[in-house]
């Protein structure tokens, strides 16, 4: 199993990503409001207030999605996220990564 984390810089994409998860049989995800380091440093830390270029590529708020997926669905889930949000290699587009999960307790079964 994998923990898939997607930081989506355009919140309007979140519903499409969640619908895509359902199509892949991934039935559980958590969505958090989040803010990036560039935005925080340039707006809220006085010593960095002059460094507005840090926030030039960041959004005021973004969404971070977490979900536990079977190993065989991780690549498809990442591809779907990229299809929805576009090229993740573009600055400020977002990020997706996975981490191995050794144990899960309380996860409902995925759709068949």
């Amino acid at each position: 199993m994998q923990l898939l984390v997607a930081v989506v810089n355009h919140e309007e994409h979140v519903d499409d990503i969640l619908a895509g998860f359902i199509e892949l049989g991934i039935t559980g995800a958590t969505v958090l409001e989040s803010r990036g380091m560039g935005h925080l440093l340039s707006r809220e830390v006085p010593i960095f207030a002059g460094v507005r270029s840090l926030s030039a590529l960041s959004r005021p708020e973004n969404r971070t999605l977490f979900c536990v997926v079977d190993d065989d669905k991780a690549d498809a889930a990442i591809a779907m996220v990229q299809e929805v949000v576009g090229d993740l290699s573009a600055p400020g587009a977002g990020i997706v990564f996975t981490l191995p999960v050794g144990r899960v307790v309380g996860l409902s079964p995925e759709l068949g």
Side-chain angles (χ1 to χ4, degrees):
M1 299 193 89
Q2 299 286 321
L3 172 65
L4 184 141
V5 179
V7 179
V8 179
N9 287 347
H10 297 274
E11 68 179 296
E12 62 271 15
H13 294 308
V14 171
D15 288 343
D16 291 335
I17 292 170
L18 295 176
F21 284 163
I22 294 293
E23 288 179 19
L24 293 171
I26 300 166
T27 59
T30 298
V31 180
L32 302 174
E33 292 182 8
S34 54
R35 292 186 289 169
M37 182 175 111
H39 178 76
L40 285 173
L41 289 178
S42 67
R43 303 283 184 209
E44 298 182 20
V45 180
I47 194 168
F48 293 107
V51 189
R52 297 285 181 209
S53 63
L54 283 175
S55 67
L57 299 175
S58 68
R59 312 270 309 163
E61 289 195 9
N62 46 40
R63 300 293 183 265
T64 301
L65 291 77
F66 298 88
C67 60
V68 176
V69 300
D70 288 329
D71 290 331
D72 61 344
K73 293 182 180 179
D75 288 338
I78 291 170
M80 181 275 301
V81 170
Q82 289 178 309
E83 185 178 315
V84 170
V85 303
D87 183 9
L88 289 172
S89 65
I95 184 172
V96 178
F97 62 90
T98 62
L99 298 167
V101 174
R103 183 175 176 187
V104 176
V105 176
L107 184 67
S108 296
E110 294 181 345
L111 296 175

